[in-house]
Amino acid sequence: MPELPEIETIRRVIGHQIAGGRIENIRIMNPVVIAHPTSEEFRCKAEGRMLSSLDRRGKFLIFHLDDGKRILLHLRMTGCLLLTPPDYPEEKHTHMVFRLSNGLEMRYSDTRRFGRFWLLEKGEVDEISGVEKLGIEPFDPDFTSEYLSSRLGKRRKTIKECLLDQSAVAGIGNIYGDEILFASRINPSRSADTLRADEWERLAAAIPEVLSFFIERNTIAPEEYLKTKGREYRNTPFLKVYGHSGKPCPLCGTKLQRLVIGGRSSVYCPSCQK
């Protein structure tokens, strides 16, 4: 599943290209990807509107329309958003196409069809997408060790599970959870209520630092993004522990180990993360 760095990459690649473009037509081939309202209402309310800007909140993309409406998109496991010329070959599992006034098409494809769109009216309270339940952004000025310890410090769940709780911190998934804990020298199976003050400080510093690092590593030109069909990210060579079970730790050489926490795979160094 794309996590915060990947969603931010999509925002940066697509956002400036669609800003100011008008939605001339929407083709909906699979209505199941529209969670709210009905597919016909979605089409009627969005067609003719101008795309003002594109924001990110956690793992959500938020399209702002010129009349105050918002279109929210969560890619989930296999969702993909491409901006293409009209004659560009269409992906096999394309479910929705926005034809824009700048001559481009914004296409949504999704092999497993888990991703969802929501369209909200101006001023409409969002009680359906889950965005309002998200916790603080990792780059928010109020994101501190005090915030983390007050929010998570009494929990008996593992710190890895706590990091994946989107109501606490928005945007962290399994990949960067491993990388953040390695950077913090904290074992993923540690109960959150056992962390010391200095460990909360290391964790609070590592979260924005690691995410920023991978956002920059993911930097890609629009042409290359389209060529790779939005599915090839440049972070893989820089991952230090995720997916490297059995390989030597990049710091101490100890064999990295894998364990399952909350049903998710976690990789860590038993020496650096005691």
Side-chain angles (χ1 to χ4, degrees):
M1 176 187 291
E3 300 178 24
L4 188 153
E6 288 74 44
I7 301 302
E8 179 63 19
T9 296
I10 296 169
R11 186 196 71 80
R12 294 185 181 188
V13 169
I14 290 180
H16 73 278
Q17 296 187 83
I18 64 172
R22 195 168 299 279
I23 302 172
E24 293 187 338
N25 173 264
I26 302 176
R27 285 192 293 124
I28 303 172
M29 290 80 88
N30 193 340
V32 73
V33 301
I34 300 176
H36 175 82
T38 66
S39 58
E40 185 59 25
E41 287 178 301
F42 186 103
R43 186 184 62 77
C44 291
K45 291 180 178 181
E47 283 185 346
R49 304 316 323 172
M50 186 179 74
L51 291 160
S52 302
S53 61
L54 177 58
D55 286 336
R56 178 196 57 75
R57 178 75 170 96
K59 301 177 188 179
F60 286 81
L61 288 168
I62 304 175
F63 300 83
H64 296 276
L65 307 185
D66 60 342
D67 61 351
K69 293 189 185 76
R70 291 166 291 157
I71 296 175
L72 285 72
L73 169 62
H74 198 300
L75 298 175
R76 302 279 169 82
M77 294 293 291
T78 57
C80 179
L81 199 64
L82 292 180
L83 200 62
T84 76
D87 59 351
Y88 193 81
E90 199 167 278
E91 292 297 289
K92 181 179 179 181
H93 299 282
T94 297
H95 303 306
M96 186 148 60
V97 176
F98 298 76
R99 190 180 71 210
L100 307 180
S101 59
N102 59 8
L104 297 175
E105 291 185 349
M106 186 167 65
R107 301 175 180 176
Y108 176 72
S109 61
D110 191 344
T111 305
R112 302 183 69 178
R113 295 181 296 177
F114 290 160
R116 290 293 182 269
F117 284 86
W118 297 261
L119 187 148
L120 301 173
E121 298 284 351
K122 180 179 180 180
E124 182 179 352
V125 177
D126 184 1
E127 297 178 339
I128 49 179
S129 73
V131 164
E132 296 303 318
K133 297 179 181 179
L134 293 177
I136 194 170
E137 286 283 324
F139 308 115
D140 191 294
D142 293 328
F143 182 76
T144 62
S145 59
E146 289 78 12
Y147 168 82
L148 278 181
S149 60
S150 64
R151 188 66 189 264
L152 304 175
K154 295 182 180 180
R155 296 190 184 184
R156 295 184 179 179
K157 282 190 172 183
T158 67
I159 187 60
K160 175 66 180 290
E161 290 174 287
C162 289
L163 286 184
L164 303 189
D165 179 357
Q166 300 301 298
S167 68
V169 184
I172 300 173
N174 202 43
I175 296 173
Y176 300 110
D178 278 0
E179 295 297 309
I180 287 165
L181 289 170
F182 178 72
S184 307
R185 306 297 180 262
I186 297 172
N187 189 292
S189 63
R190 282 273 301 278
S191 175
D193 63 358
T194 68
L195 267 63
R196 304 183 306 270
D198 64 307
E199 291 174 316
W200 286 116
E201 289 177 5
R202 294 207 306 267
L203 189 59
I207 289 172
E209 182 178 318
V210 168
L211 294 174
S212 293
F213 174 82
F214 283 103
I215 287 172
E216 294 309 312
R217 298 290 80 73
N218 273 344
T219 299
I220 187 171
E223 298 78 14
E224 188 67 16
Y225 178 86
L226 178 57
K227 183 180 178 181
T228 59
K229 299 183 179 179
R231 299 184 185 279
E232 184 177 305
Y233 300 106
R234 302 184 173 188
N235 60 13
T236 304
F238 302 98
L239 294 171
K240 295 182 178 179
V241 292
Y242 180 83
H244 295 318
S245 176
K247 296 181 180 179
C249 170
L251 292 182
C252 71
T254 301
K255 183 183 291 187
L256 297 175
Q257 294 185 8
R258 174 185 177 274
L259 71 164
V260 176
I261 299 175
R264 309 290 295 276
S265 174
S266 293
V267 180
Y268 72 104
C269 173
S271 179
C272 295
Q273 297 166 268
K274 293 182 180 179

